[in-house]
Amino acid sequence: MTTQQDFRAMPTPAERAVADVPGPREHLTSPRTQAVLKIQQALVAGARELMAAEGAVELFQPLIGPVTDPGARGAKQVDVDYYGHQYKLMASAILYKQTSLVAFDKVFFIAPNVRLEPLETSSTHRHLAEFHQIDVEFACASRDDAIALAERVVRQAVRKALATQEDALRLIGRDTAKLSAFVEQPFEVLTHAEVLDRLGHPHDPGTEIGWQAEEFISGRAEAPFFIVDYPKGSRGFYDKEDPERPSTLMSFDLIAPESCGEICSGGERESDYVKIVTRMRETGENPAKYGWYLDVVREGIPGSAGFGIGLERLTRWVAGLDSVWQASAYPKVPGVVSP
């Protein structure tokens, strides 16, 4: 991975062109779109095969609820009127994944999520206001367990696409040998501090790695790799702190090469009621809003670890697309009015 290069010459989000999304008929009748959607179907099939082999139960995430994931990194939540009550459209499955572990030890969802991303993300090639995630959670698992599982899921999904969608990959011009090589080697694991050191650019060590910096390191990566040890304060209240390093979270991201950036995020979860309430207050959340969730936690949920893989982002990387909207049948680009 080449790292000591200055990325300040990269265009800012404001300088990038807003995605020119075609109308539904033009988009859906395009042979390229049809090939991409077949590849995406194979990726989902591969993920489901792996999860079934792991003994996981597939559940269906609610689309609305009294609260949703607050850790959406700058995106706004969407309010809906639910019989006179203010509910939210789901921004992620995290709360439901954790509570579902009172029924099953291993669960996964393939679910839609809605986040009103800032308008400037319309030009990042990697953000959608509506997207799908392969969401996984295993009871009594560690962060390392989740990292290993995420790698297996991605590897199996890509292998399934290579095995069943060779014609579709060839039609869109994807180098299948290169794609296969990416997933046939172990994914490297780097710490947050190591990645910042490799950036060669000033960055606050106590914050997330921004999308522009992430794209920079992704463009110079030779294979997918994980980033671990994010600082406390950069993620949601549900991410567990390292007991030996209280300022460090037991979280991770998976970065795809070829400038695609993060395609998966996860970590080890906090399951202690008092610690969760404390973290909620530290992150500015009102515990009273999370009544149903905290009731389940108070009665006891297992410690767990899991992750969410952005399906459209995974498809973009596997298919070698210019932008994530090309991986959706009905793309919702932030700020762009569409069906």
Side-chain angles (χ1 to χ4, degrees):
M1 185 189 302
T2 303
T3 55
Q4 298 300 326
Q5 298 185 38
D6 192 345
F7 70 98
R8 284 172 290 186
M10 293 176 64
T12 65
E15 294 170 329
R16 294 170 182 260
V18 174
D20 185 16
V21 183
R25 177 174 291 277
E26 180 185 354
H27 184 52
L28 290 170
T29 57
S30 164
R32 183 176 179 83
T33 298
Q34 293 168 8
V36 168
L37 296 179
K38 288 180 180 178
I39 293 166
Q40 186 173 87
Q41 182 182 37
L43 294 172
V44 171
R48 280 196 166 110
E49 287 177 1
L50 192 283
M51 296 312 300
E54 297 280 345
V57 176
E58 182 173 7
L59 301 177
F60 298 102
Q61 172 194 336
L63 298 180
I64 61 173
V67 287
T68 186
D69 180 6
R73 305 188 195 182
K76 294 181 180 179
Q77 299 175 1
V78 180
D79 295 331
V80 296
D81 186 315
Y82 185 68
Y83 299 104
H85 296 271
Q86 183 174 292
Y87 269 42
K88 306 287 186 181
L89 295 182
M90 287 299 106
S92 96
I94 179 61
L95 305 181
Y96 293 99
K97 287 196 301 181
Q98 278 191 286
T99 54
S100 294
L101 295 178
V102 302
F104 303 103
D105 290 339
K106 302 175 181 180
V107 301
F108 75 102
F109 307 128
I110 300 178
N113 297 274
V114 177
R115 300 178 186 176
L116 296 185
E117 300 283 358
L119 292 178
E120 57 266 27
T121 63
S122 64
S123 59
T124 65
H125 311 301
R126 51 182 294 195
H127 288 88
L128 290 171
E130 179 184 85
F131 61 97
H132 296 76
Q133 283 198 155
I134 303 169
D135 260 306
V136 177
E137 199 76 13
F138 277 26
C140 304
S142 67
R143 181 188 67 183
D144 290 346
D145 293 332
I147 286 174
L149 178 58
E151 183 171 338
R152 294 198 299 274
V153 171
V154 170
R155 181 172 287 116
Q156 176 63 19
V158 173
R159 284 175 174 168
K160 185 73 172 183
L162 287 167
T164 64
Q165 295 301 326
E166 184 178 358
D167 290 345
L169 288 162
R170 185 184 300 113
L171 185 149
I172 61 177
R174 186 55 159 143
D175 185 339
T176 55
K178 183 178 182 181
L179 182 60
S180 179
F182 280 141
V183 296
E184 294 307 326
Q185 55 185 312
F187 297 173
E188 187 178 12
V189 179
L190 302 173
T191 67
H192 182 267
E194 286 173 333
V195 170
L196 295 187
D197 182 61
R198 293 189 181 196
L199 279 176
H201 180 80
H203 193 288
D204 184 349
T207 64
E208 285 277 7
I209 297 173
W211 71 262
Q212 198 172 11
E214 199 175 84
E215 183 177 299
F216 174 79
I217 59 173
S218 169
R220 286 146 181 80
E222 297 174 357
F225 68 96
F226 290 99
I227 303 175
V228 299
D229 293 350
Y230 279 88
K232 181 181 177 182
S234 64
R235 301 275 161 123
F237 60 77
Y238 41 77
D239 279 316
K240 189 173 183 177
E241 292 182 65
D242 187 330
E244 298 180 0
R245 297 173 298 165
S247 63
T248 302
L249 298 177
M250 301 289 286
S251 57
F252 67 87
D253 282 351
L254 175 59
I255 308 299
E258 302 178 302
S259 299
C260 288
E262 179 253 310
I263 60 171
C264 170
S265 187
E268 196 166 332
R269 316 301 187 189
E270 185 55 73
S271 59
D272 181 88
Y273 173 82
V274 173
K275 290 181 180 179
I276 288 177
V277 171
T278 299
R279 287 287 305 282
M280 282 182 173
R281 289 173 175 151
E282 289 176 349
T283 57
E285 291 296 317
N286 179 4
K289 296 193 308 180
Y290 294 84
W292 78 266
Y293 168 75
L294 289 175
D295 285 345
V296 178
V297 173
R298 185 187 295 108
E299 294 179 16
I301 60 172
S304 65
F307 54 84
I309 299 173
L311 180 57
E312 288 82 2
R313 288 186 178 184
L314 176 64
T315 306
R316 177 199 173 191
W317 170 56
V318 171
L321 305 177
D322 296 326
S323 182
V324 71
W325 70 260
Q326 296 168 323
S328 174
Y330 295 94
K332 300 293 190 299
V333 176
V336 177
V337 177
S338 54

